[in-house]
Each structure stands twice: as C-alpha cells, then as structure tokens.
C-alpha cells in the first residue's frame, strides 16, 4: 500500500520530467533521475593544419566521344534540330534535314570538285577534238597549225569560228585535213567532208605485203622498194556512202631516166593537151576539153608542178559532164598525178574547195 501510494504520487513528476519523444519509442527509458539529465556538449575538435597551396589542375580537354556529341538547337519553326559532329557536313546540315543533290555529287566543297574537273576536261577536250574544240583552237591560228602539220589530226580552216561558222558544229564548212606520205615524199590537204577509200587502202596494203614476202629485205627499208608500174591510185578519198563519182586520188608511176616536165612534155598547156589525148580522150565516148593550165613550184622542195583543169563530156552516154583538177609532178624518175574529179552539180558547189586542195599538193 505504501509503495502504491508512493508510485501514484511520483507518477506526475516522472511524466513531467520525461521527454515527449520517449513516449513514442518502442523501448521506454527507465524511471529515475537519468531522464532529466541533459546531454553534455561535444568537445571541440582541434583545428586541422592548413594544407599547402597547390596549383589548380587545368581542365581536361573534351574527349573524342564528347566532341562527337550532338548539339540541339531550336529551329526557325520551333522544332528541335540536332547537329552531329565528326562528318563533312557538320554544322551545315541538321540530322533531320535531307542532304541536297549538290552535296552528294560535289561534296562539302564544290570548288575543289569542279575546278580540277574543268582543268582535266580543258586538256582532254582539245586533245580528243571533243565537240570540235581541237579544230576550233587550231583554226584560230590556222597558218601556224598548217606549218606544224597539226591539221593531220584535226580539220583546220581559215574561216572565223570554224567549225561553228554556221552556228552549229559542221566540219564540212571549209575545213581541211592533211595527208602526208613520208615514204613516197608527198602531201596534200583534202576537204574534211571526205574519208579515205578503204578499198584502195586494203588493196595497196595487200600488194605491199606480197612484195615484202617476195623480198624480205624490203620490210626493213621501205623507202628503197622498187617502183612499180601504175596499177591504181596510191591513196583515194571521197564523200562517205557515195558511188565514187566524186573522188580525189594520187597515182604514182615510174618514168624513164632523164624525164622532166618542160623538157619532155613542153609548156603547161601543151603538156596538159598531150596528157589528155594520151590518157583520157576516146572519140565518141569521152571528149576532154582543157579549161586552164599553169605551172608552180612545190613549197617545200621547189620541184616544178603542172596544174590544169579540164572537162569531160560523154556524148554516147546519158551522163552529165565531169570536171577534174589535176596536178602533175616528176621527182627521182617517178611521176606523181593528183586528180580530183566531180560531177557537174558538185563542181558548181565545191569548185573553189577542189582548187585549194590541188594547190596544197606538193612533193617533199
């Protein structure tokens, strides 16, 4: 009883001294004076000595992965656009944009792609005469090109803006190419609209092969091969796809020692008449008439040449007259005959062209 009364009387004091949080704890603090004790303040720790001064380390450079990270920006339309690094279009095109065709074809720097291409084509085009570029450049200096025999490769003309004189590509408008035979020692220029007769070329090549087979020593010294009697043209040209009515040819034959044009045949007009009567005329079938004759010297060798024009009528045939420009020359007991024959219609259109071709024939 006494203990109970004592506990009952001491309970309010104990409750007033106990902290409020202790009632909520799982384990209550034991009764007694400890519940009223205040915690002692923590003892201050001694201050740590100051650390020595150290230089701040420089910021490390961004890694490769960080450099390739994408950067997001707001576009004009309010949408986010991502720009990735590490490619040729970095900073110019967003990942969401479609690349233009020029970028696919020329790359990020069109000038580096275009300028070398133009330089290459600037060299290749004239070399291959692409779109007439070679003929155009050589025709700007036609005399120089002919002196250097560059017209052996491409047609050359003295007309302005050739081969575009008519506003379009046309090699036939006054252009000429050169034929050079260094073995037989002659050359001439022929109209660019002509092509070489492959039949004559193959026949002569076959005959030359047979001669080399009969005498193999001629293969090593072609200039020393014996002259043959004329059996056909040495070379021939004409318009492609034609029947041969219009043609240009050179015939070579051997002569007796001591032959000269003026000493053997006489003056140009007399020599032309003798040749026409001996080789062309056939009464009732072919009747030649001389139109003009003259004498000139080869520009390179000074060899005398006779040039004349004549017309041939065919009274017994239903055939229009033909016109021929002929050049005859003799060198080293060899007779050279250049002849360009055309029908009347072609003569009316190309007479000056054929005369210029005949004037270009020379012996070297």
């Amino acid at each position: 009883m006494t203990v109970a009364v004592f506990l009952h009387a001491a309970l309010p004091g104990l409750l007033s001294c106990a902290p409020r949080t202790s009632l909520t704890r799982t384990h209550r603090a034991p009764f007694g004076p400890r519940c009223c004790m205040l915690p002692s303040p923590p003892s201050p720790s001694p201050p740590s000595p100051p650390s020595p001064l150290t230089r701040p380390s420089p910021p490390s450079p961004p890694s490769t992965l960080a450099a390739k990270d994408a950067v997001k920006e707001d576009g004009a339309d309010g949408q986010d656009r991502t720009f990735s690094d590490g490619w040729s279009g970095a900073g110019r095109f967003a990942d969401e944009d479609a690349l233009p065709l020029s970028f696919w074809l020329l790359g990020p720097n069109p000038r580096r792609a275009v300028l070398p291409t133009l330089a290459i084509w600037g060299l290749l085009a004239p070399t291959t005469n692409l779109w007439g570029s070679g003929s155009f450049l050589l025709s700007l200096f036609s005399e120089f090109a002919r002196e250097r025999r560059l017209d052996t490769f491409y047609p050359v003309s003295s007309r302005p803006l050739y081969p575009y004189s008519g506003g379009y590509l046309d090699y036939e408008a006054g252009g000429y190419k050169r034929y050079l035979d260094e073995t037989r020692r002659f050359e001439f220029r022929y109209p660019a609209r002509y092509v070489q007769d492959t039949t004559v070329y193959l026949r002569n090549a076959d005959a030359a092969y047979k001669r080399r087979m009969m005498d193999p020593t001629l293969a090593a010294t072609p200039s020393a091969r014996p002259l043959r009697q004329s059996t056909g043209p040495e070379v021939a040209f004409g318009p492609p796809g034609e029947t041969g009515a219009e043609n240009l040819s050179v015939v070579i034959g051997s002569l007796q020692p001591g032959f000269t044009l003026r000493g053997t045949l006489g003056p140009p007009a007399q020599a032309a008449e003798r040749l026409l009567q001996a080789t062309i005329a056939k009464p009732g079938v072919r009747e030649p008439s001389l139109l003009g004759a003259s004498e000139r010297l080869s520009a390179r060798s000074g060899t005398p040449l006779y040039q004349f024009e004549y017309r041939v009528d065919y009274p017994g045939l239903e055939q229009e007259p033909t016109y021929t420009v002929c050049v005859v020359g003799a060198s080293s007991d060899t007779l050279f005959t250049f002849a360009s024959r055309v029908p009347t219609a072609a003569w009316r259109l190309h007479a000056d062209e054929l005369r210029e071709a005949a004037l270009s024939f020379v012996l070297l």
Side-chain angles (χ1 to χ4, degrees), residues 41-174:
S43 59
S45 59
S48 59
S51 61
L53 297 178
T54 58
R55 296 180 61 184
S57 60
S60 60
S63 62
T64 306
L65 296 177
K68 295 184 178 179
D69 289 344
V71 179
K72 291 186 177 181
E73 295 182 2
D74 292 336
D77 53 358
Q79 298 180 356
D80 292 341
R81 304 175 68 195
T82 305
F83 294 83
S84 298
D85 294 337
W87 68 295
S88 57
R92 297 176 55 191
F93 305 103
D95 296 350
E96 295 80 8
D97 296 341
L99 295 178
L101 180 61
S102 60
F103 185 85
W104 289 102
L105 296 178
L106 304 178
N109 194 340
R111 187 168 16 179
R112 292 183 180 180
V114 173
L115 293 181
T117 302
L118 293 179
I120 293 174
W121 279 106
L123 296 176
L124 291 180
T127 304
T128 59
N129 202 25
L130 181 64
W131 299 316
S133 56
S135 294
F136 177 78
L137 294 177
L138 293 180
S139 297
L140 297 177
F141 312 96
S142 57
E143 294 301 327
F144 174 83
R146 288 168 179 168
E147 290 177 1
R148 299 298 186 275
R149 293 174 175 170
L150 298 178
D151 52 350
T152 306
F153 308 101
Y154 310 132
V156 175
S157 175
S158 300
R159 293 188 178 185
L161 302 180
Y162 176 85
Y164 296 96
S165 303
Y168 56 92
L169 181 61
D170 183 14
Y171 292 110
E172 299 180 3

Side-chain angles (χ1 to χ4, degrees), residues 311-333:
R311 166 179 169 169
V312 178
D313 294 296
Y314 305 90
L317 303 173
E318 295 182 359
Q319 182 179 347
E320 63 180 354
T322 60
Y323 291 81
T324 303
V325 182
C326 186
V327 181
V328 179
S331 176
S332 302
D333 298 332

